[in-house]
C-alpha cells in the first residue's frame, strides 16, 4: 500500500492562530486537513462529499438529502458532550460532529493520543458511514419521514417557496431545476408505485456517487498531528476509491434564452415586497486571487451617498438593496441584485430597474478603480489577520467544503476570504455579464399585480410569468447605454472610506490567567461603567454595550411601539453614514426593550468612539420627517403582521414568556397600537426617553480604562439626561405557578394555510437563585436531550422540530419540551407525558456509570471556553443586564453539579417533572393550525369498502407479478374475504398476503420475506390513496400515565392576577467587590456557592 502523502505542512493562517495544520492524502485519494489545537475543549470532524441534490435521479428528487444515522452513534456523541448534523446543497453533502476534546472531567487534560479519546471513538463510528453504510429499512423509513416532515415545515416559508419557484422556472435541462428537498411522494410513494426497491435505490445511489476521491475530511483535536494522521490513515483506509470525476455541469446554463428576458410576479405568504434581478454569470472558482464579482457587489450594493439605494430610498421607493454572486455549481453562477421595495416602489419597479442599469453603465464608463480594490483588499487582509476562532463544528464543516475548491492547499484558511490582486481585465469581463439582453426579473408582492394564473408544483406558490414587454426592454437598453450627459446626476461612485481602521496595534501583556469578570470603574447615581481590557484574544477590536435605563420604553404596548419606531427612525437616518463603518468592520445596533434603550457597537476599536458619537447625536437631534415616518411605520406594521406567519415553534415562546411575566406584551397588542400613531406622536415622545435615565455600560476589548470612562462621559455630554433614581428602575419579575397547578393556553395560528400545530410544555422548577436546583435542572436537560430526540422525533415521528431542555426567565427557571407537528396538540401533550414517564423509569434503572457519564458530559459543556471576543462580551453583558452579575456562573454550576447523586435526580424528577407528581406545576401553550394536511387523492370521491378491497387486491396482484410471483387473482381475492380492508388493519392484510404466498403460490420463505418487506412499504402508500386510514398499533409506544385535568386560560388578566410574583433579580455579590483596582477572580464565591443561600 502506498504511504500517506503529506500535501502541505504549513498553512497561511491568522496572526494569533496557535493551531498546527497538515494536509494529507490517503492511498485511496481521500484528502484530509488535520488540525492540532492544544487549547480546544471540543474536538470535531467533518466529511464533505462532492455529491448533492444535482445528482438526484430525475424521478427521485431529494435522494441526496436523506442520510440515515444509527442511534448508537448519537448516543456515543451525547455521552461525550457532543452532537452531529448534516446538510445537503446542490453539489455537496456535509456530515459533521463534535465531542469533548478529553474524556477527563478536567477539560484541560491531554488525551495523550489514547484510543480512549472521545474523538477517536467518534471518528471510528463516523468512518463506518463511508465504509459500510447499513441503510437499515427501519432507519431509512424514519429518515424519509423526517425529510418529509422537514419539507412540510418549510411549505409556508417564503425563503423556500421563492427559491423553488426560481428553480422550477429554470431550464429543465439543468439539475438546478430539481426539487432538492424531497418528500415522501418523491422518495417513497411514487417510486413504490413503479415497483422500485427503495432501500436498494439508496444503496445504488451511494455506490454510484460516494468515492474516497470525492471526499474531504477535516479533523480537529488536541492530539498531535502525527497521532491524528495515524488515526485517519487507519480508520478511513477502508473507504473505497472509485476514481469518480468531479461533478460538473459545463455547457448548460440554469437559464436558457427561453428563461431570460422574462418577468415573474410571485405572491408570498408574508407581506413582503422584493424586486430581484438575475444575471447569468461566470464560474469564479479559479479566480480566488482576484474575485472580480466583489468589485461589482461592492459598488452596486453600496448604501452610501451616490449609490442606487441612496437615490431610490430618497425617492421613497426602497428600504434596502443587496448585490452579489451566487455560485450554482462548477460551471455556472448568478449575479443577483435584490431590492426591498416600499409600497410606492412597487408602482415604480420599472424605473428602479432602469436606475440599476444606469448605475451599471456608470461603473462600465470608468476604468476599474484600483484604489477601490486596494481598499477592499486591505480590509480583507486585516479581517483575516485578526480572525478569531469559531466553534469547532463551524470550522470543520466550513473547511471541508472549502477543500472541494481548486485552492492551493496552503491557502485553505485564507481561501476566498482575501483579495490578493487587482485585475482590471477580470473586472471588465465580469461587468460584461451584466447585460440588458440577458437577465430575468422577479417581483414579489401580496397585492401587485393580483392576477397570478399559475401555481408552482412543489410549494403551491401563486405566480405569473411573461416576457418583459418590448417598451420596457427598450427603456432598459437605453439606461444601459446612458452616458454622464443623460444619466441621473445624483449617481456616482463612492468616496474613500474614512472608517478604514489604521490603528491596529494591541497592547499585549503576559497574564497568568485571563480575568474572569469586568471591573466596575464607575458606580454612581447616574452611571455604572464596566470595563475589561482584553487579556485573552489580543485583537484590535472592542465591544461597547450601553443601556439607557428608562421604564417608559415598554411601560405599555403604546410606548413600546413608539420606542421601537424611534429606534427604527434613527437607524433609517443613519443608514448612509453607518454603511462605511459597516464595511470597515464596525457595526452598531439600536433597540428598545423592557429596561430602556440599548446601543451596541462592536468591531475594530480605532473608530468606535467616532461612530458612537454620531449615533448619540442622531438620537438627540432626530427630525421625524413625515415621509420617512410613513415608510418606516409601514415597514414596522408589516413586520408585526408577518410575525403571525412565522413557523409556529418560533411563535410559541413569546406566549410562554407573556404568561410567565408580570408585565409584558404580545404581538397583537403592539399591532393594535401602531396604526393610529403619527410622526408628531413619536417626535414628542422620544425626548421623554432621553430626558431622564440611568446609564449602564460595558466596554470590553482593545480599549483602555480612560477610553471606557470616555464612552459614558460621551453619553452624558451628548444627551445631557437627568438621573433616574434607583427607586424608579424597572424590576423584572416572573409569575409563580403554584404547586399542583396545570394550565393550558390555546392560540389559533394566523396563517390559515399552515398545517403544523405546536406545543410548548413548560414545567416550573424554581428560582434562579436556587443554585442546587439549577444544577439538577441542567443535568435533567443533558440526560433527556438524546432520549427526547430519539423517542419523540426518531421513533414516534411526531415532527421535524423537537426540542427538550431548560428554560430560563428573568428570575425563574423550568423544563420545557417543544414539538411542531401535524398531529393534534392534545396528542402531543399525551406523548410528552408518556416520554417523561419513560425517562423516569430509565433514570430508575440507569447504571451509576451511565449517570456519572452524563454529569461528566455536562461539566465539560459548562466549562467550555469562549472562542472569541464577542462570545466573552456577550457572556459578561448577559450577567450585567440580568442584574445578577454572576460572571463565573459556569464554574458555580460545576461546583453544584459535582455532589448531585442519582437518588437526588430521582427525587427531583418525581417532584418537579413526573406527570403524576401532585406537586409539579405546568403551563402548556398550544398553537393550533387552521389547515389540515391534504390527504392523497383528497379531491376524488372515496370508494366504497367493497371497491377499496377490490382495488387493493388488484394492486397487490400487480405487485406480486412484478416481483416474479405467478398470481392467481381469484385465489388472492379469496384470501381477503374475511379481511376488513377499510378499517386499515395492516396486520390482517399482511397475514392474507403471506398466507397466499406460502400456501397458494408456494414461494420460498426467504423470497417471501423480501417481498413482504417491500410490500409493507407499498401498503403505507396505497392504503391512504384508497381513502383508508391505517390503523396505528400503539403497543410499542410507551404508555401515557393518567394525569389531572388541565385548566384552560380564558382570561389572561384573571390568570395573572391569581398568581404570586417572584422576587426581583439579586446580585450574587456586592457590587463594591468589583470596584477594586485588581479584578477579583471570584474563586471564593465558587468554592462555597452550593451552600451560600444568598447566591
Amino acid at each position: 500500500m502506498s504511504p500517506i502523502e503529506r500535501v502541505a505542512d504549513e498553512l497561511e493562517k491568522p496572526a494569533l492562530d496557535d493551531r498546527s495544520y497538515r494536509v494529507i492524502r490517503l492511498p485511496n485519494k481521500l484528502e484530509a486537513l488535520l488540525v492540532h489545537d492544544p487549547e480546544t475543549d471540543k474536538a470535531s470532524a467533518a466529511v464533505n462529499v462532492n455529491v448533492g441534490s444535482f445528482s438526484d435521479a430525475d424521478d427521485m428528487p431529494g435522494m441526496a438529502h436523506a442520510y440515515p444515522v444509527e442511534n448508537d452513534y448519537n448516543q456515543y456523541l451525547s455521552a461525550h458532550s457532543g452532537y452531529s448534523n448534516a446538510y445537503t446543497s446542490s453539489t455537496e453533502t456535509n456530515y459533521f460532529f463534535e465531542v469533548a476534546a478529553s474524556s477527563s472531567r478536567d477539560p484541560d487534560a491531554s488525551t495523550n493520543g489514547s484510543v480512549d479519546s472521545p474523538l477517536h471513538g467518534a471518528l471510528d463510528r463516523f468512518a463506518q458511514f463511508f465504509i459500510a453504510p447499513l441503510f437499515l429499512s427501519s432507519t431509512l423509513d424514519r429518515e424519509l419521514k423526517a425529510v418529509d416532515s422537514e419539507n412540510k415545515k418549510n411549505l409556508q416559508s417564503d425563503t423556500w417557496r421563492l427559491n423553488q419557484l426560481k428553480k422550477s422556472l429554470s431550464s429543465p435541462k439543468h439539475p438546478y431545476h430539481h426539487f432538492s428537498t424531497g418528500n415522501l411522494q418523491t422518495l417513497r410513494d411514487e417510486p413504490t408505485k413503479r415497483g422500485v426497491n427503495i432501500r436498494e435505490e439508496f444503496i445504488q445511489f451511494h455506490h454510484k456517487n460516494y468515492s474516497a476521491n470525492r471526499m474531504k475530511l477535516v479533523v480537529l483535536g488536541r492530539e498531535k498531528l502525527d497521532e491524528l494522521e495515524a488515526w485517519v490513515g487507519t480508520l478511513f483506509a477502508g473507504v473505497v476509491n472509485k476514481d469518480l470525476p468531479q461533478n460538473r455541469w459545463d455547457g448548460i446554463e440554469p437559464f436558457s434564452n427561453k428563461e431570460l428576458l422574462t418577468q415573474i410576479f410571485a405572491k408570498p405568504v408574508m407581506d413582503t415586497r422584493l424586486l430581484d434581478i438575475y444575471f447569468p454569470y461566470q464560474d469564479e472558482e479559479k479566480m480566488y486571487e482576484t474575485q472580480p464579482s466583489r468589485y461589482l457587489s461592492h459598488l452596486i450594493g453600496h448604501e452610501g451617498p451616490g449609490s442606487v439605494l441612496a437615490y431610490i430610498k430618497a425617492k421613497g421607493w426602497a428600504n434596502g438593496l443587496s448585490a452579489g454572486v451566487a455560485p450554482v455549481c462548477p460551471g455556472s453562477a448568478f449575479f443577483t441584485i435584490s431590492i426591498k421595495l416600499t409600497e410606492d416602489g412597487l408602482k415604480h419597479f420599472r424605473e428602479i430597474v432602469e436606475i440599476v442599469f444606469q448605475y451599471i453603465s456608470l461603473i462600465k464608463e470608468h476604468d476599474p478603480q484600483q484604489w477601490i480594490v486596494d481598499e477592499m483588499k486591505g480590509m480583507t487582509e486585516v479581517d483575516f489577520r485578526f480572525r478569531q476562532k469559531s466553534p469547532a463544528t463551524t470550522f470543520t464543516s466550513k473547511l471541508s467544503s472549502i477543500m472541494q475548491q481548486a485552492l492551493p492547499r496552503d491557502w485553505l484558511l485564507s481561501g476566498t476570504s482575501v483579495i490578493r490582486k487587482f485585475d482590471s481585465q477580470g473586472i471588465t469581463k465580469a461587468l460584461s455579464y451584466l447585460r440588458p439582453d440577458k437577465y430575468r426579473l422577479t417581483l414579489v408582492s401580496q397585492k401587485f399585480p393580483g392576477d397570478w394564473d399559475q401555481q408552482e408544483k412543489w410549494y403551491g406558490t401563486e405566480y405569473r410569468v411573461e416576457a418583459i414587454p418590448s417598451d420596457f426592454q427598450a427603456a432598459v437598453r437605453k439606461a444601459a447605454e446612458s452616458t454622464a450627459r443623460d444619466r441621473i446626476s445624483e449617481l456616482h461612485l463612492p468616496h474613500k472610506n474614512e472608517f478604514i481602521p489604521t490603528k491596529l496595534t494591541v497592547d499585549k501583556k503576559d497574564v497568568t490567567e485571563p480575568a474572569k469578570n469586568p471591573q466596575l470603574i464607575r458606580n454612581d447615581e447616574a452611571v455604572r461603567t464596566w470595563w475589561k481590557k482584553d487579556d485573552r484574544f489580543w485583537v484590535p477590536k472592542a465591544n461597547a454595550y450601553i443601556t439607557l435605563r428608562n421604564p417608559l420604553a415598554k411601560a405599555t404596548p403604546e410606548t413600546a411601539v413608539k420606542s421601537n419606531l424611534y429606534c427604527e427612525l434613527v437607524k433609517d437616518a443613519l443608514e448612509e453614514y453607518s454603511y462605511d463603518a459597516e464595511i470597515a468592520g464596525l457595526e452598531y445596533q439600536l433597540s428598545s426593550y423592557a429596561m430602556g434603550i440599548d446601543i451596541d457597537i462592536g468591531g475594530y476599536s480605532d473608530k468606535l468612539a467616532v461612530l458612537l458619537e454620531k449615533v448619540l447625536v442622531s438620537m438627540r437631534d432626530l427630525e421625524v420627517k413625515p415621509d420617512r415616518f410613513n415608510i418606516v411605520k409601514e415597514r414596522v406594521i408589516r413586520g408585526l403582521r408577518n410575525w403571525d406567519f412565522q413557523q409556529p415553534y418560533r411563535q410559541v415562546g413569546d406566549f410562554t414568556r407573556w404568561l410567565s411575566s408580570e408585565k409584558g406584551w404580545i404581538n397583537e397588542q403592539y399591532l393594535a397600537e401602531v396604526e393610529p400613531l403619527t410622526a408628531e406622536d413619536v417626535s414628542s415622545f422620544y425626548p421623554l426617553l432621553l430626558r431622564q435615565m440611568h446609564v449602564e455600560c460595558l466596554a470590553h476589548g482593545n480599549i483602555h480604562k480612560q477610553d471606557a470612562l470616555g464612552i459614558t462621559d460621551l453619553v452624558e455630554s451628548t444627551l445631557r439626561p437627568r438621573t433616574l433614581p434607583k427607586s424608579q428602575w424597572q424590576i423584572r419579575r416572573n409569575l409563580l405557578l403554584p404547586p399542583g397547578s396545570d394550565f393550558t393556553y390555546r392560540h389559533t395560528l394566523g396563517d390559515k394555510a399552515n398545517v403544523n400545530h405546536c406545543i410548548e410544555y413548560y414545567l416550573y422548577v424554581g428560582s434562579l437563585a436556587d443554585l442546587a436546583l439549577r444544577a439538577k435542572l441542567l443535568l435533567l436537560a443533558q440526560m433527556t436531550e438524546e432520549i427526547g430526540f430519539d423517542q419523540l422525533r426518531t421513533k414516534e415521528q411526531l415532527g421535524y422540530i423537537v426540542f427538550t431542555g431548560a428554560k430560563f426567565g428573568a428570575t425563574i427557571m423550568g423544563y420545557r419540551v417543544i414539538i411542531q407537528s401535524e398531529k393534534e396538540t392534545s396528542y402531543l401533550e399525551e406523548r410528552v407525558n408518556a416520554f417523561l414517564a419513560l425517562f423516569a423509569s430509565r433514570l430508575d434503572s440507569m447504571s451509576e456509570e451511565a449517570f456519572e457519564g452524563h454529569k461528566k458530559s455536562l461539566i465539560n459543556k459548562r466549562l467550555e471556553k469562549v472562542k472569541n471576543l464577542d462570545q466573552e462580551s456577550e457572556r459578561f453583558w448577559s450577567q450585567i443586564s440580568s442584574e445578577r452579575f454572576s460572571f463565573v456562573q459556569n464554574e458555580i454550576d460545576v461546583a453544584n453539579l459535582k455532589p448531585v447523586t442519582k437518588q437526588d435526580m430521582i427525587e427531583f424528577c418525581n417532584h418537579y417533572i413526573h406527570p403524576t407528581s401532585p406537586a409539579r406545576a405546568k403551563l402548556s401553550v398550544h398553537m393550533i393550525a387552521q389547515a389540515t394536511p391534504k390527504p392523497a387523492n383528497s379531491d376524488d370521491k372515496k370508494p366504497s369498502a367493497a371497491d377499496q378491497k377490490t382495488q387493493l387486491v388488484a394492486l397487490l396482484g400487480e405487485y406480486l407479478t412484478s416481483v416474479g410471483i405467478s398470481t392467481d387473482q381469484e385465489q388472492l381475492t379469496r384470501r381477503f374475504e374475511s379481511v376488513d380492508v377499510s378499517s386499515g388493519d395492516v396486520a390482517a392484510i399482511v397475514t392474507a398476503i403471506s398466507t397466499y404466498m406460502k400456501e397458494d403460490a408456494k414461494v420460498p420463505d426467504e423470497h417471501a420475506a423480501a417481498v413482504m418487506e417491500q410490500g409493507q412499504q407499498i401498503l403505507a402508500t396505497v392504503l391512504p390513496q384508497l381513502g383508508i386510514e391505517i390503523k396505528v398499533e400503539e403497543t410499542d409506544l410507551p404508555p401515557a400515565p393518567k394525569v389531572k385535568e388541565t385548566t384552560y386560560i380564558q382570561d389572561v388578566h384573571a390568570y395573572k392576577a391569581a398568581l404570586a410574583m417572584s422576587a426581583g433579580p439579586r446580585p450574587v455579590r456586592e457590587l463594591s467587590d468589583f470596584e477594586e483596582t485588581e479584578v477579583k477572580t471570584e474563586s471564593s464565591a465558587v468554592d462555597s456557592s452550593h451552600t451560600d443561600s444568598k447566591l
Side-chain angles (χ1 to χ4, degrees):
M1 180 181 287
S2 305
I4 293 174
E5 177 188 356
R6 292 188 178 174
V7 179
D9 273 316
E10 295 288 338
L11 269 64
E12 183 178 57
K13 63 183 184 178
L16 299 171
D17 190 343
D18 60 355
R19 292 168 170 168
S20 303
Y21 300 91
R22 179 182 297 167
V23 181
I24 62 172
R25 187 177 293 113
L26 303 190
N28 60 6
K29 297 187 180 179
L30 184 149
E31 191 178 40
L33 169 63
L34 312 176
V35 186
H36 165 58
D37 185 343
E39 299 298 321
T40 189
D41 42 27
K42 290 289 186 183
S44 177
V47 166
N48 188 283
V49 189
N50 175 220
V51 58
S53 61
F54 281 11
S55 299
D56 289 341
D58 289 340
D59 57 359
M60 280 188 73
M63 288 194 74
H65 187 204
Y67 12 78
V69 174
E70 297 307 311
N71 194 48
D72 129 272
Y73 168 63
N74 285 326
Q75 285 178 335
Y76 179 88
L77 296 179
S78 180
H80 293 87
S81 312
Y83 75 97
S84 69
N85 211 335
Y87 70 80
T88 301
S89 68
S90 56
T91 61
E92 62 187 41
T93 304
N94 196 293
Y95 305 81
F96 54 92
F97 72 82
E98 76 171 27
V99 288
S102 168
S103 59
S104 167
R105 283 193 182 186
D106 176 5
D108 293 319
S110 171
T111 64
N112 295 318
S114 167
V115 293
D116 292 331
S117 157
L119 175 58
H120 184 276
L123 273 177
D124 192 6
R125 291 162 173 81
F126 189 51
Q128 293 307 308
F129 295 157
F130 311 101
I131 296 171
L134 298 176
F135 288 106
L136 298 176
S137 295
S138 59
T139 307
L140 179 59
D141 187 59
R142 286 197 297 263
E143 176 60 20
L144 296 185
K145 289 177 180 176
V147 168
D148 186 67
S149 182
E150 180 181 8
N151 177 62
K152 287 175 178 173
K153 171 182 74 71
N154 296 327
L155 287 177
Q156 289 299 102
S157 165
D158 282 327
T159 300
W160 288 88
R161 291 165 69 91
L162 296 174
N163 186 54
Q164 185 59 50
L165 178 63
K166 182 172 68 172
K167 289 154 63 73
S168 294
L169 295 178
S170 66
S171 171
K173 295 180 180 179
H174 196 284
Y176 184 73
H177 184 77
H178 283 174
F179 169 49
S180 57
T181 304
N183 57 28
L184 280 182
Q185 176 189 348
T186 65
L187 295 173
R188 189 191 69 185
D189 298 353
E190 294 298 332
T192 300
K193 285 183 191 176
R194 301 192 300 268
V196 173
N197 184 315
I198 307 298
R199 177 173 180 267
E200 184 60 30
E201 201 70 18
F202 274 90
I203 291 172
Q204 288 304 314
F205 179 86
H206 188 279
H207 178 74
K208 177 183 176 182
N209 292 289
Y210 277 57
S211 173
N213 74 301
R214 281 185 173 178
M215 297 180 187
K216 307 298 180 184
L217 167 67
V218 178
V219 181
L220 182 154
R222 283 189 189 165
E223 292 76 11
K224 300 289 187 182
L225 292 176
D226 289 347
E227 191 70 30
L228 293 175
E229 180 177 311
W231 288 358
V232 168
T234 301
L235 297 175
F236 287 85
V239 181
V240 176
N241 176 34
K242 302 161 191 169
D243 275 323
L244 299 178
Q246 181 197 31
N247 275 315
R248 297 192 65 86
W249 290 268
D250 297 305
I252 51 173
E253 290 293 334
F255 292 167
S256 66
N257 288 334
K258 179 183 177 182
E259 287 80 39
L260 294 171
L261 292 179
T262 58
Q263 54 188 22
I264 300 161
F265 299 94
K267 183 181 181 182
V269 172
M270 291 190 176
D271 189 359
T272 306
R273 294 185 293 265
L274 291 172
L275 171 62
D276 292 333
I277 309 173
Y278 300 101
F279 297 92
Y281 190 72
Q282 63 187 344
D283 176 10
E284 287 191 347
E285 183 182 15
K286 295 182 180 179
M287 303 178 194
Y288 45 81
E289 292 189 84
T290 57
Q291 303 172 62
S293 65
R294 291 178 70 169
Y295 182 87
L296 276 60
S297 58
H298 175 75
L299 295 180
I300 298 171
H302 210 280
E303 298 177 11
S307 65
V308 172
L309 180 61
Y311 181 78
I312 58 179
K313 182 182 171 186
K315 287 279 192 180
W317 294 348
N319 288 316
L321 183 152
S322 60
V325 69
V328 174
C329 61
S332 58
F334 297 129
F335 190 90
T336 304
I337 302 169
S338 185
I339 303 167
K340 295 179 180 178
L341 300 176
T342 64
E343 200 156 8
D344 201 31
L346 276 176
K347 304 170 189 174
H348 297 276
F349 82 92
R350 286 190 174 193
E351 292 102 307
I352 292 172
V353 175
E354 292 169 33
I355 291 164
V356 168
F357 274 94
Q358 282 200 30
Y359 197 83
I360 292 171
S361 77
L362 168 69
I363 301 172
K364 291 179 177 180
E365 186 176 86
H366 293 80
D367 290 335
Q369 303 291 295
Q370 183 162 354
W371 74 265
I372 293 178
V373 174
D374 287 345
E375 195 174 82
M376 296 167 60
K377 176 175 174 288
M379 276 309 306
T380 65
E381 291 168 348
V382 168
D383 287 341
F384 178 69
R385 177 184 170 192
F386 296 108
R387 181 189 292 172
Q388 299 169 77
K389 290 181 182 178
S390 57
T393 50
T394 303
F395 176 86
T396 57
S397 177
K398 181 178 179 180
L399 261 293
S400 63
S401 175
I402 289 173
M403 288 178 72
Q404 296 287 2
Q405 300 177 27
L407 287 164
R409 290 354 233 169
D410 56 341
W411 285 1
L412 284 176
L413 298 180
S414 52
T416 55
S417 300
V418 176
I419 298 173
R420 301 170 190 273
K421 294 180 181 177
F422 169 65
D423 180 4
S424 179
Q425 290 184 342
I427 292 172
T428 300
K429 181 183 177 182
L431 280 165
S432 71
Y433 286 89
L434 309 189
R435 294 168 48 174
D437 60 342
K438 295 198 87 173
Y439 68 96
R440 183 167 92 172
L441 300 179
T442 299
L443 193 69
V444 178
S445 168
Q446 280 192 337
K447 299 175 182 177
F448 182 84
D451 56 349
W452 311 279
D453 55 3
Q454 297 185 66
Q455 278 196 327
E456 193 274 326
K457 176 179 179 180
W458 300 108
Y459 288 83
T461 304
E462 293 182 68
Y463 72 95
R464 192 181 90 207
V465 60
E466 62 190 24
I468 295 175
S470 57
D471 62 326
F472 187 15
Q473 289 191 43
V476 169
R477 284 195 299 272
K478 181 179 178 182
E481 295 166 1
S482 63
T483 64
R485 187 172 58 255
D486 52 7
R487 189 181 303 125
I488 295 169
S489 60
E490 288 90 339
L491 298 178
H492 58 79
L493 296 181
H495 51 67
K496 292 191 176 182
N497 190 343
E498 300 301 324
F499 275 99
I500 298 292
T502 54
K503 297 178 182 177
L504 296 169
T505 55
V506 177
D507 183 18
K508 185 175 181 180
K509 297 178 180 178
D510 291 331
V511 293
T512 306
E513 182 183 12
K516 296 179 179 180
N517 53 263
Q519 191 173 352
L520 186 56
I521 56 175
R522 178 179 172 186
N523 184 16
D524 53 45
E525 290 183 351
V527 172
R528 281 202 300 237
T529 306
W530 299 84
W531 164 73
K532 183 192 171 188
K533 175 75 171 66
D534 175 40
D535 56 2
R536 186 188 296 268
F537 303 105
W538 310 111
V539 289
K541 295 184 176 184
N543 292 307
Y545 296 88
I546 305 165
T547 286
L548 310 180
R549 187 177 277 110
N550 185 326
L552 186 61
K554 278 204 173 180
T556 67
E558 181 186 4
T559 63
V561 170
K562 288 178 180 177
S563 298
N564 183 37
L565 281 168
Y566 166 62
C567 292
E568 292 301 315
L569 286 162
V570 172
K571 289 188 286 187
D572 183 73
L574 276 170
E575 193 162 30
E576 286 188 31
Y577 178 87
S578 64
Y579 183 73
D580 274 354
E582 182 181 332
I583 59 178
L586 183 61
E587 298 185 56
Y588 83 100
Q589 292 292 329
L590 183 68
S591 58
S592 62
Y593 80 124
M595 297 294 106
I597 302 294
D598 263 6
I599 309 168
D600 302 339
I601 298 186
Y604 292 105
S605 53
D606 182 19
K607 309 284 197 318
L608 187 148
V610 176
L611 179 59
L612 174 60
E613 182 173 17
K614 182 67 174 181
V615 171
L616 291 170
V617 169
S618 298
M619 291 174 66
R620 182 194 66 195
D621 298 339
L622 177 68
E623 179 185 354
V624 183
K625 299 176 181 177
D627 57 338
R628 293 312 302 170
F629 172 81
N630 291 333
I631 289 171
V632 170
K633 174 185 169 181
E634 191 273 339
R635 189 172 70 209
V636 168
I637 289 174
R638 278 192 297 124
L640 292 170
R641 287 176 178 162
N642 287 338
W643 187 92
D644 282 331
F645 292 86
Q646 296 180 100
Q647 294 281 358
Y649 79 94
R650 295 188 182 278
Q651 300 181 40
V652 69
D654 279 15
F655 287 95
T656 311
R657 283 187 289 274
W658 175 52
L659 294 166
S660 303
S661 302
E662 177 201 5
K663 292 183 179 179
W665 323 111
I666 53 174
N667 193 69
E668 62 191 52
Q669 294 170 317
Y670 298 139
L671 196 53
E673 298 296 335
V674 70
E675 293 276 8
L677 292 179
T678 66
E680 177 57 33
D681 290 330
V682 175
S683 186
S684 59
F685 170 76
Y686 86 77
L688 302 178
L689 284 175
L690 306 182
R691 182 177 300 166
Q692 188 175 26
M693 66 180 68
H694 175 268
V695 180
E696 184 134 40
C697 171
L698 166 67
H700 175 225
N702 186 42
I703 189 166
H704 291 282
K705 182 176 180 179
Q706 288 306 311
D707 295 324
L709 290 168
I711 287 175
T712 40
D713 289 346
L714 183 61
V715 173
E716 287 186 295
S717 63
T718 305
L719 301 181
R720 298 187 178 279
R722 291 171 46 225
T723 297
L724 181 74
K726 198 167 186 178
S727 60
Q728 296 181 33
W729 292 14
Q730 177 89 345
I731 299 175
R732 283 175 291 191
R733 302 178 187 272
N734 284 116
L735 299 172
L736 303 177
L737 297 177
S741 60
D742 190 311
F743 294 102
T744 299
Y745 180 79
R746 293 166 62 89
H747 174 79
T748 302
L749 291 168
D751 183 357
K752 294 181 180 179
N754 200 317
V755 300
N756 292 298
H757 306 281
C758 184
I759 178 176
E760 180 164 18
Y761 180 114
Y762 171 73
L763 299 172
Y764 167 71
V765 168
S767 167
L768 279 178
D770 190 331
L771 299 174
L773 207 56
R774 172 186 163 96
K776 293 170 188 172
L777 174 62
L778 292 170
L779 186 54
L780 172 69
Q782 158 67 28
M783 297 172 80
T784 57
E785 181 179 22
E786 189 278 328
I787 182 179
F789 188 88
D790 181 55
Q791 183 63 40
L792 298 173
R793 178 178 153 173
T794 305
K795 290 178 178 172
E796 298 193 27
Q797 294 284 308
L798 294 181
Y800 185 77
I801 300 296
V802 173
F803 295 142
T804 62
K807 183 182 181 80
F808 298 98
T811 60
I812 62 172
M813 57 189 173
Y815 180 80
R816 70 160 177 190
V817 179
I818 292 180
I819 304 173
Q820 181 172 297
S821 172
E822 294 177 43
K823 294 179 170 59
E824 298 284 342
T825 53
S826 57
Y827 180 73
L828 300 179
E829 181 107 12
E830 177 185 298
R831 298 317 306 154
V832 175
N833 285 332
F835 159 66
L836 294 176
L838 172 68
F839 171 73
S841 65
R842 296 229 182 140
L843 178 59
D844 282 337
S845 59
M846 185 179 292
S847 69
E848 286 295 333
E849 181 183 8
F851 177 79
E852 289 299 323
H854 279 296
K855 284 176 60 178
K856 179 181 72 176
S857 182
L858 178 57
I859 287 171
N860 283 337
K861 287 180 181 177
R862 297 305 296 159
L863 294 180
E864 186 175 342
K865 298 171 183 175
V866 289
K867 301 295 186 294
N868 51 56
L869 183 75
D870 289 346
Q871 282 189 4
E872 187 171 50
S873 295
E874 288 163 9
R875 180 179 288 187
F876 290 155
W877 186 242
S878 68
Q879 289 298 330
I880 293 168
S881 60
S882 74
E883 299 179 82
R884 297 192 72 245
F885 310 105
S886 185
F887 297 110
V888 290
Q889 185 63 56
N890 55 340
E891 296 180 20
I892 294 173
D893 288 337
V894 169
N896 282 276
L897 275 167
K898 289 180 177 178
V900 176
T901 65
K902 176 185 164 184
Q903 186 58 38
D904 291 336
M905 286 303 296
I906 290 173
E907 292 172 4
F908 171 83
C909 289
N910 287 342
H911 183 84
Y912 293 101
I913 307 300
H914 199 286
T916 61
S917 167
R920 79 169 193 162
K922 181 174 78 72
L923 169 65
S924 277
V925 176
H926 293 191
M927 310 292 284
I928 312 298
Q930 299 189 55
T932 55
K934 185 178 180 181
N937 296 333
S938 60
D939 296 331
D940 300 336
K941 183 178 178 181
K942 183 178 178 179
S944 66
D947 287 343
Q948 287 174 335
K949 182 181 290 189
T950 300
Q951 292 177 36
L952 176 64
V953 173
L955 288 168
L956 290 172
E958 292 175 11
Y959 165 65
L960 293 174
T961 302
S962 73
V963 294
I965 297 174
S966 178
T967 307
D968 182 335
Q969 202 67 32
E970 290 186 13
Q971 187 62 33
L972 181 60
T973 301
R974 281 194 288 273
R975 289 294 178 189
F976 275 82
E977 285 179 351
S978 60
V979 178
D980 183 6
V981 169
S982 63
S983 71
D985 191 345
V986 176
I989 295 171
V990 167
T991 299
I993 301 170
S994 298
T995 303
Y996 171 80
M997 285 196 295
K998 182 176 182 179
E999 298 184 9
D1000 301 325
K1002 309 298 183 185
V1003 178
D1005 289 347
E1006 186 175 341
H1007 186 196
V1011 170
M1012 285 308 304
E1013 180 181 356
Q1014 180 72 6
Q1016 291 192 56
Q1017 294 183 15
I1018 292 176
L1019 287 175
T1021 302
V1022 169
L1023 293 179
Q1025 291 176 344
L1026 296 176
I1028 300 169
E1029 185 176 347
I1030 297 174
K1031 184 189 294 183
V1032 180
E1033 297 291 339
E1034 296 195 353
T1035 54
D1036 293 335
L1037 296 181
K1042 187 175 181 180
V1043 297
K1044 64 180 292 183
E1045 287 191 15
T1046 191
T1047 299
Y1048 287 95
I1049 301 172
Q1050 307 293 345
D1051 182 336
V1052 173
H1053 182 268
Y1055 155 79
K1056 289 189 174 186
L1059 299 181
M1061 290 189 299
S1062 71
R1066 290 170 291 174
V1068 298
R1069 291 173 58 190
E1070 295 294 332
L1071 292 186
S1072 58
D1073 291 350
F1074 300 104
E1075 295 178 357
E1076 298 175 6
T1077 304
E1078 296 299 325
V1079 182
K1080 288 190 174 183
T1081 65
E1082 296 193 83
S1083 57
S1084 59
V1086 175
D1087 293 340
S1088 60
S1089 61
H1090 62 280
T1091 59
D1092 188 346
S1093 61
K1094 293 182 180 179
L1095 293 179

